[in-house]
Amino acid sequence: MPQNKKINPSLAPQQFNIDNYESTARLTAQQWYENLLHRLFVNTYQEQSDIEMAKMINLRNISTGSRYEKDHTSDFFDQFLNRKSVSTLTRDEHIHMLKTPKLRHGNAFALVDLAVPSSILEKDFKSWIEEQRQQLNINARKIQLTKTKLRDWHNSMVLPYIDLIKWHELNKTKITDSEMGKILFPITHQNDCEVGEKIKRTTRKKHAKNILSKSNLRALVAQANQI
């Protein structure tokens, strides 16, 4: 287990080692997706008030860094995030979606007359989509996850940032941007103020804020074989 002799134990757990995240430089879209699912899993347990489980998975994420191996914990998310943009719901899935606002957000349900000619259905469906977006105040996001974008995530150290900031949140402790910066960018010629601004303006605001959104995760799946 890696030891952090030079890092204040109040700022990072002993399992943390920035070298464990080095492989983010080479992750594919699919591998980013798999890594981010495990971070989303921590959030889910936290929202369900199972803090001990959230802490356990968070520490596991910190220990493994980006060296992720797929396991059964992804199945819950896969059934929703890997679903096509238009799909058929079973009765139980429909009921579950209706009872779970978080899963229903961004989704709409329709009754389709399959006997109508396809040309008419396509026209009506296009109009219906625009109407639903206006009513629900949802804009179609245009996300292009290029190799450059994935590289930016690595350069900004967004994955270790997510893990460490969640560790502090779960343990009800705090860390400043400059303290975080010195941990994530140990080899830098920037001063504390400059590295702190890098965390604030790039790592947190530009990348970490939306990286775990459902639309971003779906974009990763959609583009997994295209990047």
Side-chain angles (χ1 to χ4, degrees):
M1 180 180 295
Q3 301 292 322
N4 287 324
K5 296 181 180 180
K6 295 182 180 180
I7 300 179
N8 187 324
S10 68
L11 299 180
Q14 64 175 3
Q15 294 92 332
F16 181 84
N17 188 322
I18 195 63
D19 292 339
N20 290 339
Y21 297 86
E22 187 272 337
S23 65
T24 57
R26 301 179 297 279
L27 293 184
T28 64
Q30 179 64 27
Q31 290 167 335
W32 268 107
Y33 167 73
E34 292 168 351
N35 269 280
L36 292 174
L37 280 184
H38 273 240
R39 278 65 189 181
L40 190 62
F41 209 61
V42 175
N43 293 351
T44 298
Y45 275 112
Q46 183 181 17
E47 291 168 2
Q48 294 174 350
S49 298
D50 192 342
I51 304 302
E52 290 308 309
M53 181 62 75
K55 286 182 177 180
M56 184 185 75
I57 298 176
N58 173 245
L59 279 178
R60 184 184 66 181
N61 291 340
I62 289 173
S63 298
T64 58
S66 56
R67 296 176 286 110
Y68 169 79
E69 293 183 4
K70 188 175 179 63
D71 61 26
H72 69 281
T73 56
S74 299
D75 295 342
F76 174 81
F77 298 102
D78 284 343
Q79 65 177 314
F80 296 106
L81 295 172
N82 277 334
R83 190 186 297 280
K84 295 180 179 179
S85 59
V86 178
S87 58
T88 302
L89 292 178
T90 65
R91 180 177 179 278
D92 289 341
E93 287 176 327
H94 191 187
I95 293 174
H96 184 52
M97 292 281 277
L98 291 175
K99 290 182 177 180
T100 313
K102 186 174 182 180
L103 295 177
R104 192 170 70 247
H105 178 69
N107 295 287
F109 306 98
L111 183 65
V112 181
D113 186 350
L114 298 178
V116 174
S118 295
S119 59
I120 298 177
L121 277 179
E122 290 170 1
K123 181 180 179 181
D124 290 347
F125 189 58
K126 186 175 181 179
S127 297
W128 178 81
I129 289 174
E130 294 306 316
E131 291 173 359
Q132 290 296 308
R133 282 177 174 161
Q134 289 180 11
Q135 290 179 17
L136 299 175
N137 194 28
I138 295 175
N139 296 317
R141 296 191 63 182
K142 297 180 181 180
I143 300 179
Q144 282 298 318
L145 299 175
T146 62
K147 286 183 178 180
T148 300
K149 182 68 172 179
L150 300 187
R151 185 72 187 186
D152 285 345
W153 288 350
H154 163 73
N155 290 337
S156 68
M157 294 288 114
V158 68
L159 200 61
Y161 173 85
I162 289 172
D163 288 343
L164 272 186
I165 207 70
K166 181 58 66 174
W167 181 76
H168 280 279
E169 184 179 326
L170 291 171
N171 288 282
K172 298 182 180 180
T173 55
K174 295 182 179 181
I175 183 171
T176 66
D177 287 338
S178 60
E179 289 170 334
M180 179 72 81
K182 286 187 287 187
I183 293 174
L184 301 189
F185 304 100
I187 303 176
T188 179
H189 298 295
Q190 295 177 310
N191 59 40
D192 290 358
C193 183
E194 290 173 328
V195 77
E197 280 298 302
K198 184 174 183 178
I199 291 293
K200 178 181 178 181
R201 297 182 182 279
T202 303
T203 305
R204 181 168 67 245
K205 288 188 176 181
K206 190 174 180 181
H207 300 300
K209 186 177 180 180
N210 297 312
I211 199 171
L212 290 176
S213 67
K214 183 183 290 186
S215 56
N216 188 69
L217 292 172
R218 279 177 168 165
L220 281 169
V221 173
Q223 296 184 216
N225 297 316
Q226 302 176 24
I227 297 178

